[in-house]
Amino acid sequence: MIPAVTPTLVPFPTKLHQLHTILMKAKAHTAPGKRTFIVFSFFSILLLCFLASINEVRLDIGILGLSRSSCASFLQGNNTSSAVVGSNISSSADEDDDDIRVLIGILTLPDQYQRRSFLRLVYGTQTPVVSGARVDVKFVFCNLTKDDQKVLIALEIMRYDDIIIMDCKENMNKGKTYTYFSSLPGMLINGSDDDDDDHRRPRRKAPYPPYHYVMKADDDVYFRLENLVKSLRPLPREDLYYGYVIPCPSMDPFVHYMSGMGYLISWDLVEWIRGSEIPKTHIEGPEDKVFGEWIRIGHKGKNRYNAKWSMYNYPQPPTRCTHELWPDTIAVHLLKTQDKWIHTLNYFNVTNNLKPSKLYHI
């Protein structure tokens, strides 16, 4: 706050007393004819002193007012800028719903820290998917069992917010896939993580369904997200079962089931899995084959899409399930070694968008 300024003035009575003394001395030594002129001069000087005193007060007050006005303008300007920034943040959070929303759940293990770090690089640096699409990649595993996991994975969640921990015992073919799909409606619809936050903040109504499609994927698969979205756009959003048909030579999606490398279903089937007794009573066995049996017994998946040969196993060693890398690829499976990952990433030129800089040379 700016301190008040007190004008420094010579008291007017003091000035008057000084002028009176001068006048008396002049009167004692002046002829009578000049007294009129002296009196006139005295009152003229008196008037000038009075005006000067008023102007001095106005000047000081004017400076004070200008200073206060400038400070107020500065503070008001800062507040205006903050409001604009806040408005921009709010408006970006209230964007229209994406016209296609996809969740890719990568089933992995809690101790696979290095694999998760690598996959974050792989998917986090992909060119943004086509306009209007949202693809969330999350890592899925069961309850934590070690003290170090509870610290390190908590830090991962705080930093990346891309982990789903389910209430189950870690397994591969004893219900983990069922727990994944059946848990999602309760996690994504019945309440929100923001419910306990500041209740004064206006909330945006969550879209329904939270995702149009949900995929289960292995952690040794490389997905090209833009091609995945393009393949989904013309497809139905209800009763859809999408993936790589097994057995490998088959091209008929209605005969068998989709490979566990990565299969996708529409949201209505996610809700069906949660509520139906068919999956609950049959959860053990090869998870992709068991999933296909759920669909068959429940007469679901009337809309099916075989993504072969845009999805395939890594070309080496060659088998009936492998395919050479090619531009229309959606997913490459069985990337079990770093060399296979590097070969695949090089083929698709994933570092093409690296910006030139004097800070490095590659």
Side-chain angles (χ1 to χ4, degrees):
M1 181 175 179
I2 299 177
V5 177
T6 302
T8 304
L9 303 175
V10 177
F12 184 73
T14 302
K15 291 185 177 182
L16 182 61
H17 175 73
Q18 292 173 348
L19 290 173
H20 182 267
T21 303
I22 295 172
L23 180 61
M24 291 299 101
K25 291 181 178 179
K27 183 178 181 181
H29 301 282
T30 306
K34 296 182 180 180
R35 289 178 183 174
T36 302
F37 174 75
I38 292 174
V39 172
F40 175 77
S41 298
F42 169 75
F43 284 106
S44 296
I45 293 172
L46 180 63
L47 178 62
L48 290 175
C49 291
F50 178 73
L51 292 176
S53 300
I54 293 177
N55 287 336
E56 187 174 357
V57 172
R58 287 179 178 176
L59 179 61
D60 288 338
I61 293 176
I63 293 174
L64 176 60
L66 179 61
S67 300
R68 289 177 175 173
S69 176
S70 299
C71 182
S73 299
F74 174 76
L75 294 175
Q76 183 178 5
N78 281 352
N79 290 336
T80 303
S81 299
S82 298
V84 170
V85 172
S87 174
N88 289 338
I89 293 173
S90 298
S91 63
S92 64
D94 294 334
E95 293 174 352
D96 294 337
D97 295 339
D98 303 296
D99 63 4
I100 181 169
R101 298 182 293 277
V102 183
L103 171 63
I104 300 177
I106 300 177
L107 272 61
T108 184
L109 298 173
D111 287 333
Q112 293 283 3
Y113 301 105
Q114 186 173 355
R115 176 58 59 90
R116 288 195 294 277
S117 178
F118 174 71
L119 291 177
R120 287 184 181 113
L121 289 177
V122 168
Y123 294 117
T125 55
Q126 283 198 33
T127 301
V129 295
V130 291
S131 176
R134 171 185 165 192
V135 179
D136 291 343
V137 178
K138 294 185 179 292
F139 301 99
V140 182
F141 39 80
C142 292
N143 290 324
L144 308 182
T145 58
K146 303 176 184 177
D147 290 339
D148 63 329
Q149 292 174 349
K150 295 177 182 179
V151 174
L152 297 176
I153 292 174
L155 291 173
E156 284 186 80
I157 295 172
M158 292 167 64
R159 176 62 181 86
Y160 301 107
D161 193 22
D162 61 357
I163 289 176
I164 297 175
I165 302 177
M166 306 178 299
D167 187 12
C168 57
K169 184 178 180 180
E170 197 59 60
N171 69 90
M172 178 182 293
N173 293 319
K174 293 186 177 181
K176 184 174 181 178
T177 297
Y178 169 74
T179 303
Y180 166 57
F181 283 110
S182 64
S183 298
L184 290 177
M187 291 178 173
L188 301 176
I189 294 179
N190 299 334
S192 167
D193 290 340
D194 295 332
D195 287 348
D196 295 330
D197 290 347
D198 190 346
H199 295 285
R200 296 170 298 177
R201 183 176 58 193
R203 297 176 185 170
R204 182 169 64 103
K205 184 179 180 180
Y208 181 86
Y211 295 98
H212 298 107
Y213 305 108
V214 176
M215 175 176 278
K216 172 265 165 188
D218 290 344
D219 63 3
D220 61 348
V221 182
Y222 171 58
F223 284 96
R224 302 181 70 211
L225 302 182
E226 185 169 2
N227 282 5
L228 172 63
V229 170
K230 288 179 178 178
S231 72
L232 291 172
R233 280 207 181 279
L235 301 183
R237 296 189 177 181
E238 292 184 353
D239 208 15
L240 177 69
Y241 183 30
Y242 169 114
Y244 175 99
V245 174
I246 294 294
C248 295
S250 174
M251 296 297 290
D252 186 352
F254 289 91
V255 174
H256 295 288
Y257 58 93
M258 305 297 182
S259 165
M261 72 165 80
Y263 50 86
L264 173 148
I265 58 176
S266 52
W267 181 259
D268 60 305
L269 291 184
V270 175
E271 294 189 323
W272 173 76
I273 291 171
R274 177 179 176 85
S276 173
E277 292 297 320
I278 294 173
K280 291 178 183 178
T281 57
H282 185 194
I283 62 174
E284 293 193 12
E287 59 89 16
D288 50 0
K289 184 177 181 180
V290 168
F291 189 95
E293 291 175 356
W294 299 344
I295 298 296
R296 178 181 59 82
I297 296 172
H299 303 287
K300 296 295 182 179
K302 293 182 175 61
N303 300 307
R304 302 194 185 188
Y305 183 83
N306 177 21
K308 193 183 293 180
W309 288 98
S310 290
M311 298 175 68
Y312 51 86
N313 287 351
Y314 184 80
Q316 297 297 327
T319 69
R320 301 176 76 182
C321 300
T322 61
H323 192 281
E324 293 300 317
L325 302 176
W326 68 307
D328 288 342
T329 295
I330 292 175
V332 183
H333 184 217
L334 293 181
L335 300 178
K336 299 291 188 181
T337 67
Q338 180 168 307
D339 288 343
K340 291 181 178 180
W341 272 103
I342 297 304
H343 177 221
T344 302
L345 296 176
N346 274 334
Y347 176 84
F348 293 111
N349 202 16
V350 299
T351 60
N352 185 51
N353 292 327
L354 179 67
K355 296 180 180 180
S357 173
K358 295 180 180 180
L359 297 177
Y360 49 75
H361 54 283
I362 298 178

